Amino acid sequence: MSSQLHITNGDNFTKKLQGLKLGGEIITWREMLCEGKTESNVGSESFWKTRFEFLNKNYKVTKSWFIEKTLKEYRSLCNHKYQDQIVLWFEYDLFCQINMLAVISWLKTNRPFAEISLVCSGKEDASDKLYSLNELSDEEVLKLYEKRTFLTQDDVEYADYVWQLYCSDNPIRLENLKDFSNFQFTYLESAIRAHLMRFPTIENGLNEVENNILRLANSTKPKSKSELLTTVLNNQGLYGFGDTQYTRLIDKLKPLFLSFKPVTLSKTGNEILLGNTSYYSCIQDNDVFLGGALKYGFLYNSKTNRILKL
């Protein structure tokens, strides 16, 4: 008799899934590999060491929290050796797609004979809206499950390959990928494009995410930092970042704000937004990684949508 293992994208959806009683065990993948340095050997000692160092330095994650929340769940995944059907529950955004690649890479190495299927939410109706799993009704989730995508060996190999490129020190190799449509990952191409736009633009030294924060601050005139945060979360496009990620980003951009009550850009912030000057003079931390690549080692040309090495 076959048995199922469900790997979900977060605690909120795990709770929802438990209520659906689909059977099988559930593991929650508690990571945000879209941020900070990553290593391609998912689950190795050096992989977790690198991740803990990033989370500890940037989000004050303690060792005990990391062990309890992330490593225990990962060890639980390692101990589930006998399920021959593995169902992955992820979403369309960059946050989820990068985690998905890492999980598939791990499965390729550690569960080579399992049948892997993917339930991925995104465009679910005639509107342009993209839906998270938690926004769907139980009936809609069950319908997605019934229509889930069964990954071929080629799909698995491709996901692993894209993960290796994401972890490499040169994003230009990712940029040169052109064969997404040959594989069963509906949202991967747009997520990788969003990732490449996280390198600083030639125009002003800020990336798309940072420029979006300044644009929204300038155009919507939020009355407070929390109102700015809500506005950014609701208008972030394909990134799927959470409030802790955006709070950290806004704090890093503090020199570009005159005030947060109400939210007002400083003279420098306005000049940077207009492209009259560059953010490079404000950078305090050069050692920022996006996957395996140094964020400030590359530039993004918004006119040609190409990455340049500095």
Side-chain angles (χ1 to χ4, degrees):
M1 183 183 159
S2 66
S3 57
Q4 274 191 346
L5 175 66
H6 300 271
I7 302 176
T8 74
N9 67 332
D11 291 287
N12 288 343
F13 184 70
T14 291
K15 286 195 192 91
K16 191 178 179 80
L17 192 59
Q18 284 164 342
L20 294 178
K21 299 192 167 36
L22 283 174
E25 299 286 326
I26 304 175
I27 297 284
T28 309
W29 185 258
R30 293 193 187 103
E31 247 292 8
M32 50 176 196
L33 298 169
C34 60
E35 246 202 293
K37 194 171 189 336
T38 58
E39 294 188 16
S40 59
N41 50 346
V42 181
S44 67
E45 199 174 322
S46 64
F47 173 87
W48 289 123
K49 183 174 183 288
T50 296
R51 292 307 298 161
F52 172 69
E53 283 170 359
F54 166 74
L55 293 165
N56 176 254
K57 179 186 171 187
N58 295 283
Y59 289 99
K60 307 291 180 273
V61 169
T62 62
K63 191 164 271 186
S64 58
W65 192 97
F66 188 68
I67 289 168
E68 186 62 35
K69 294 291 185 184
T70 302
L71 287 188
K72 269 195 181 174
E73 203 72 354
Y74 170 70
R75 285 172 191 147
S76 180
L77 172 60
C78 295
N79 292 333
H80 283 82
K81 293 177 179 170
Y82 305 108
Q83 284 92 346
D84 48 13
Q85 296 179 350
I86 297 173
V87 186
L88 309 180
W89 297 83
F90 287 95
E91 295 166 8
Y92 63 88
D93 56 59
L94 176 74
F95 190 111
C96 266
Q97 292 287 300
I98 298 298
N99 281 343
M100 177 194 77
L101 293 176
V103 171
I104 296 173
S105 177
W106 185 88
L107 291 170
K108 174 180 175 278
T109 303
N110 296 281
R111 301 289 181 270
F113 302 111
E115 170 198 89
I116 304 170
S117 58
L118 174 63
V119 185
C120 195
S121 71
K123 197 165 168 46
E124 304 302 330
D125 55 31
S127 73
D128 287 333
K129 181 172 164 56
L130 291 159
Y131 291 87
S132 70
L133 287 165
N134 286 313
E135 289 177 294
L136 302 177
S137 68
D138 290 358
E139 291 71 26
E140 287 168 327
V141 171
L142 289 169
K143 197 183 284 184
L144 264 187
Y145 172 74
E146 292 303 327
K147 294 192 305 180
R148 67 193 182 279
T149 302
F150 289 87
L151 301 184
T152 66
Q153 188 58 35
D154 283 350
D155 292 326
V156 171
E157 298 276 352
Y158 188 68
D160 176 58
Y161 176 60
V162 180
W163 171 249
Q164 305 298 324
L165 293 186
Y166 179 79
C167 296
S168 78
D169 62 4
N170 190 345
I172 293 169
R173 294 163 68 201
L174 257 188
E175 179 186 67
N176 290 332
L177 279 178
K178 296 287 181 272
D179 52 354
F180 291 100
S181 59
N182 297 338
F183 303 92
Q184 299 186 89
F185 301 106
T186 308
Y187 303 103
L188 186 56
E189 183 172 12
S190 54
I192 293 299
R193 173 57 51 201
H195 163 62
L196 294 171
M197 291 171 77
R198 293 193 297 165
F199 289 93
T201 61
I202 289 173
E203 288 77 15
N204 66 2
L206 289 179
N207 67 17
E208 173 54 28
V209 183
E210 294 154 346
N211 271 309
N212 191 43
I213 292 170
L214 292 198
R215 281 197 299 266
L216 290 168
N218 197 46
S219 63
T220 64
K221 307 278 191 284
K223 293 180 179 63
S224 64
K225 192 173 176 181
S226 62
E227 197 177 303
L228 173 62
L229 179 61
T230 303
T231 304
V232 172
L233 283 167
N234 292 335
N235 295 276
Q236 62 169 316
L238 296 172
Y239 289 99
F241 295 166
D243 52 1
T244 51
Q245 287 173 291
Y246 273 117
T247 299
R248 177 170 165 261
L249 267 174
I250 291 167
D251 287 345
K252 275 185 171 279
L253 295 174
K254 209 171 178 180
L256 308 187
F257 289 90
L258 185 64
S259 143
F260 284 115
K261 275 186 176 180
V263 176
T264 315
L265 295 184
S266 65
K267 185 170 182 287
T268 307
N270 272 306
E271 289 294 299
I272 287 172
L273 185 59
L274 292 168
N276 295 337
T277 187
S278 176
Y279 179 68
Y280 266 82
S281 58
C282 305
I283 294 166
Q284 292 160 340
D285 186 5
N286 276 321
D287 192 29
V288 180
F289 280 87
L290 298 170
L294 275 167
K295 176 180 173 180
Y296 294 108
F298 299 87
L299 284 173
Y300 185 78
N301 186 333
S302 311
K303 292 187 173 68
T304 60
N305 296 323
R306 303 292 290 178
I307 294 270
L308 306 167
K309 192 172 188 333
L310 272 179

